[in-house]
Amino acid sequence: MRPQNKIISLSAAFLFATGFTANALDNDTLFLTPDTLGNSFTLELSNVQLTSEADSFSVLIRREYIGKDRKTYITFHSDKVISNGEIIARNLPNDGRAHNYVFARRGITTTIFRDGIQFATTPSEVLTEIPISTSLRALPYEYSIMGISKLAAGCTADTLSTLEFIEPDEAQGETRIGEMLGGTNLVTDPYLNTGFNGEGLNAADRTFVTNAALLGGWGTEAEMSPDSYSGPYCVRLSGQAFTNGNATTGASLTIPARLTSGTDYLVRAMVKTDGYEGRIYAGTGDSYIYIPDTQGEWKQIEGILTPTGAQTYLTVDNSDNESDGTLYIDNVEVYAETSFSRFATYLPFATLPAGTVSKYNYSGATAYLLDFTLDGDNSSQLDTTGLNYLGAARLTRSVEGSVLYPMYFPGDVQAVQITGSYDGRTFTNLPGVNGLDYIIYRQNGEVFEVCPTGEPVPAGCYLVQFVDNLADASVSIQTGRKKMQGFSEKDYNFVGNDAYKMFTPAGRFLRYDAAAGCFRLTEGEALEPFEAYIATSVSNPVDVYYPPLVTTGLQHIDSESGARMSVYATQGGISIYATRAEEIAIFRTDGALAGTVSLAEGENFYPLPSGIYIVKNTKVAVP
């Protein structure tokens, strides 16, 4: 049974609780002596803050062992913690606030928790040959604080138990944990609070390195940050992750999680980025979850990873080899697949192959992520009659270049990954870039306009066109939590099939005909999941609708610098997307120079009169 707390305040006027003997060797040391300290015990020191960075204080824990003295001595500096002569924590975050420490003994070491989070572990206790009876302080059992004058007012000492190891509940110090799924999370430290371990290249230069930390990786620009989504800390990565074996730029993070080869895992995390584009992967980078530039806002990313070999951790780093930027990451979740055919009340995700129709009849079942495949005329379909759907969706489908696809995104678009080839190169899960690998058109009144690059793509219906020389390709489009479709009072509404199965709209509607490049009036035809169409309530609708677009196709162009570049025509000129700054020339068909463009990274517009132009041996027709 846990005893009643016994608290002593470290102030000028000490108030001593019953059951303690308190002696002061000098005015700067406080001895707290409980009745006894067993093989396991738990002590607490709360509201601890040094008065200056040059100060330090120490904690001494002594207990009797066969008539001898067994000691653990811990000294706290502003930037490090030393126990029995060994540095157990260094590069402490200087957050300028007080902290609470719990010292819990189990075995011959003491685990230290700071603010409810495992902080460090002391080395083995020191056993001296000096009998207890010869101790200068004549105290058989001690919990001593030395250097109390160096501590700010308000610090308290507390014996939580003399008989048991009490581990604080880390989740109690967190916020927003109700947003996590609550299943069996395979990540050992999902809140990323425990700091970095002392292993890996440049590990000594990382911030908040402790001997009890779980996070690994390399690079000096991996830091613990109080700018967190949940609780006291998160991880901050800066710069482009690169190492040549001797030195690094940026940082790469590893998060412990034991994963089995060939098994699917649902992975979620909260991220905040500013110019940083990254990825979360297991083992190799072939299967990964894309981390987009969230433009300084916390966003949830999620996806499915399938390791090709057994792994003991996830890796987080850059994906674009271009951007510096900053990534904050918190609340990481990893869940093993639950078979979709089993009767279970919770499914982390459901993966449905093309041509598969799945029913789930258990009325209490819940699935978070739905993973669909569309291959030609074959699509996966889900009967959601008995299934509660909570979160994201992913659609993987085959695509061709220069073809418009009317698509419905049930949630905000989080990532587009491309597997296939163009420009003589083959890609696997290449992070697609709007304006470079594809164009997204949104309806604006009577026309469709290009969604600007770099801006979020919210849930809704769009026309999507991929780069014209794409071959043997499939794309995986990840969306966030499902949102309700909005409907207007217009005669013609661009809407989508959100039933996750074949769906036949009532009455007449216009369905897109890719071969003819137009929407055709039809009736009684079944739509694929995620397919968009034009619904109408007018009594005499048009037979054919050609969507008025502002571009004439998206094409990749060569670059001497190795940058990825694309070009497409728009009203009044051409738009060129480049992954790095470069200068290119634009020619007329008669060979005359039409202009020279100094490209910046990202999207660039160059005004031109209507006509045909040559950009890097690529013809572009400006309407």
Side-chain angles (χ1 to χ4, degrees), residues 200-213:
L201 194 61
N202 300 121
D205 297 324
R206 297 193 209 109
T207 60
F208 199 6
V209 177
T210 88
N211 64 1

Side-chain angles (χ1 to χ4, degrees), residues 549-621:
L549 303 175
V550 295
T551 66
T552 59
L554 178 67
Q555 304 174 78
H556 270 204
I557 54 179
D558 295 328
S559 169
E560 288 82 359
S561 68
R564 296 175 60 216
M565 302 173 65
S566 68
V567 59
Y568 64 87
T570 185
Q571 294 289 348
I574 61 174
S575 288
I576 302 174
Y577 193 103
T579 57
R580 68 180 66 168
E582 187 166 323
E583 188 172 279
I584 64 170
I586 301 173
F587 296 92
R588 297 187 178 92
T589 53
D590 60 3
L593 180 66
T596 301
V597 184
S598 295
L599 300 176
E601 181 182 335
E603 190 173 27
N604 302 264
F605 176 75
Y606 188 75
L608 287 169
S610 61
I612 298 177
Y613 298 88
I614 308 297
V615 183
K616 295 282 189 178
N617 298 318
T618 300
K619 288 185 178 181
V620 183

Side-chain angles (χ1 to χ4, degrees), residues 434-465:
N434 182 19
L436 176 63
D437 303 295
Y438 57 88
I439 301 175
I440 297 180
Y441 306 91
R442 61 189 177 194
Q443 189 178 28
N444 184 9
E446 299 301 321
V447 300
F448 283 82
E449 63 183 12
V450 174
C451 292
T453 62
E455 292 188 5
V457 179
C461 295
Y462 300 86
L463 291 174
V464 184
Q465 178 184 5

Side-chain angles (χ1 to χ4, degrees), residues 286-349:
D286 289 341
S287 175
Y288 61 86
I289 298 170
Y290 177 58
I291 301 175
D293 181 4
T294 69
Q295 302 180 35
E297 296 184 12
W298 282 102
K299 301 287 186 182
Q300 182 173 276
I301 59 168
E302 56 224 322
I304 297 172
L305 292 182
T306 308
T308 56
Q311 303 296 328
T312 57
Y313 56 83
L314 296 173
T315 299
V316 182
D317 61 24
N318 299 83
S319 65
D320 58 357
N321 295 312
E322 297 288 343
S323 168
D324 290 331
T326 302
L327 163 70
Y328 296 85
I329 182 168
D330 207 348
N331 283 29
V332 180
E333 302 171 81
V334 178
Y335 303 96
E337 179 183 18
T338 301
S339 172
F340 190 65
S341 61
R342 288 176 52 195
F343 283 174
T345 58
Y346 175 77
L347 298 169
F349 62 92

Side-chain angles (χ1 to χ4, degrees), residues 210-247:
T210 88
N211 64 1
L214 297 171
L215 301 174
W218 51 259
T220 59
E221 293 165 77
E223 303 174 359
M224 303 301 297
S225 171
D227 187 11
S228 58
Y229 179 78
S230 173
Y233 296 112
C234 70
V235 171
R236 178 181 185 269
L237 303 181
S238 301
Q240 178 62 46
F242 172 78
T243 176
N244 62 9
N246 299 309

Side-chain angles (χ1 to χ4, degrees), residues 115-197:
D115 301 327
I117 301 162
Q118 186 170 339
F119 176 74
T121 301
T122 65
S124 298
E125 296 166 334
V126 176
L127 181 64
T128 67
E129 297 297 331
I130 302 175
I132 288 292
S133 59
T134 64
S135 170
L136 294 178
R137 302 181 181 94
L139 297 172
Y141 311 110
E142 293 179 0
Y143 170 25
S144 308
I145 298 97
M146 289 157 279
I148 58 177
S149 65
K150 309 300 184 182
L151 299 176
C155 181
T156 61
D158 188 357
T159 300
L160 300 181
S161 173
T162 61
L163 301 173
E164 60 181 331
F165 177 103
I166 302 175
E167 182 173 347
D169 182 359
E170 180 181 356
Q172 288 186 354
E174 294 296 322
T175 56
R176 299 177 174 178
I177 60 174
E179 300 168 14
M180 302 178 81
L181 291 184
T184 303
N185 190 356
L186 302 181
V187 175
T188 313
D189 177 23
Y191 310 116
L192 307 188
N193 285 327
T194 57
F196 296 98
N197 60 44

